Amino acid sequence: MPEVELGFRTKTRQFIENNMNVFDEDIDLTDETNIFTSGFVNSTFAMRLLNFLENEFSITVPDDEILLSNFSSVDSMWSLTSKLKGETV
Amino acid sequence: MEIIKEKLKSEAKPVSNKAIKCVVWDLDNTLWHGTLAEGDDVKLKEGVADVIKALDERGILHSIASKNNYDDAVEKLKEFGVFDYFLYPQINWNPKSSSVGKIREKLNIGADTFIFIDDQPFEREEVSAIHPEVECIDSEYYLILEEMDRIKSGTVSDDASQRRIRYMEDIERKNEEEQFIGTPEDFLATLGMKFKISQASPMDLVRAEELTLRTNQLNSTGITYSYEELEQYMKSDSHQLLVCELTDKYGSYGKIGLVLVEFKDDVMLIKLLLMSCRVAARGVGSVLLTYLIKYASNSGYKLRANFRRTPRNRQMLVTYQFAGFKELDKDEQGNILFEHELISPSGYPKYVQLVTE
């Protein structure tokens, strides 16, 4: 896995773990875990997550990409980020 | 007085027509006569304390951007009995644009709702250059602040005079939050929040109108409604006008949410949903949506919502999308119609107790 992608996945997973309470200690957060079906997500978490991705990885998510499906797991967030990065580079 | 009013009218071209929410004062030769750091025996300008109090009662906040020694200036403000009126006073040697920026950030309200008042053209221009949305006026106009359209046009609800107190309670909350170790949700759990949803009563209408005028960030359409329109909706059989109040262990945040729902055939349409920026960091926007989702789901309605993107309401778009609403339709003007599938409605967060009437 390229270093950029690895870094993205590690940082994003950490952010989610530090900011959400919904995960049982017994449940592992993997890159495929749908973080929204695993429990309640409040609107401030959503906004924090979006701000985190935009600031940390220097992207701007346009309105039409602000979709639940783009943020449901670390995998989908990576797809979105790499797509936006690809478009801007 | 009349001459000076005319002068202000001809000189000041309002940068916006939004109701003013905050006045940022310079101190030397604006709030008081003289220059404190030069050893002058400064005296409050005539009538300035009355202006401050009158605006405070209208719900307009005050702050300070002054180049002075903090302790000396605060001592004087306390001596004059006006210190408590100022939120987040910025008394330092930084550029005033940075002070104004800091106040804006702390209060979490739009720069286009600020007035900056200073006797020095240099300072006004410096602030203006960085914050073009801020209305910068000469201190000679301090006595007629109340006469300005952007100040007197705002209606005064019973909530208004409590506004500064609420901000001060919020400063306490923030201090505690900063010292708190744990996730933001853990902190919210310590607040003992109660979220109350009720049908609007005639007493709520002034505040409801004010909310449509003042709320920009957490506002689903940005459409403002007059008192009379809201009264019609309140009385209408095919509509529901709901107001929300949030309280916690520090006190009440006041009426901070408003929803207008239209019932037509089998569709329940959220025409307007807004939450005051006071509660933007409290994670309760989704509580209201969850309540509406459950309501629609239990009564067999389809749930739809009007959404209109404004330059400021990105967080509302995020709230809708993350609550599971999907775009059903979008017209040429960018007006979106959302629909919720009403499957697997989420629960309420543990940190807030819902109260309905």
Side-chain angles (χ1 to χ4, degrees), chain A residues 40-52:
Chain A
F40 185 84
V41 173
N42 72 42
S43 46
T44 56
F45 172 76
M47 206 59 202
R48 284 205 303 274
L49 180 63
L50 185 59
N51 286 341
F52 162 79

Side-chain angles (χ1 to χ4, degrees), chain A residues 17-21 36 39-51 54 60-63 66-68 71, chain B residues 183-186 188 280-287 290 309 314-315 317-319 321-324 346-349 351:
Chain A
E17 281 169 348
N18 292 340
N19 281 276
M20 284 182 82
N21 284 343
F36 294 99
F40 185 84
V41 173
N42 72 42
S43 46
T44 56
F45 172 76
M47 206 59 202
R48 284 205 303 274
L49 180 63
L50 185 59
N51 286 341
E54 294 194 327
T60 305
V61 182
D63 279 5
I66 299 179
L67 303 169
L68 187 55
F71 297 89
Chain B
T183 66
E185 276 77 9
D186 288 336
L188 293 180
R282 291 288 166 261
V284 292
S286 44
V287 175
T290 302
R309 188 75 159 92
R314 189 179 194 215
Q315 189 170 348
L317 177 67
V318 172
T319 303
Q321 285 283 1
F322 279 61
S346 49
Y348 296 107
Y351 53 76

Side-chain angles (χ1 to χ4, degrees), chain B residues 19-64:
Chain B
I20 293 296
K21 295 183 185 176
C22 180
V23 180
V24 178
W25 296 80
D26 164 50
L27 296 178
D28 292 331
N29 295 311
T30 296
L31 192 83
W32 55 50
H33 292 289
T35 305
L36 185 64
E38 286 173 8
D40 292 348
D41 180 20
V42 301
K43 296 243 169 5
L44 268 194
K45 283 200 185 167
E46 194 187 323
V48 78
D50 294 333
V51 171
I52 288 170
K53 283 172 197 161
L55 296 186
D56 182 70
E57 274 176 24
R58 295 192 71 101
I60 293 167
L61 306 171
H62 296 281
S63 190
I64 293 171

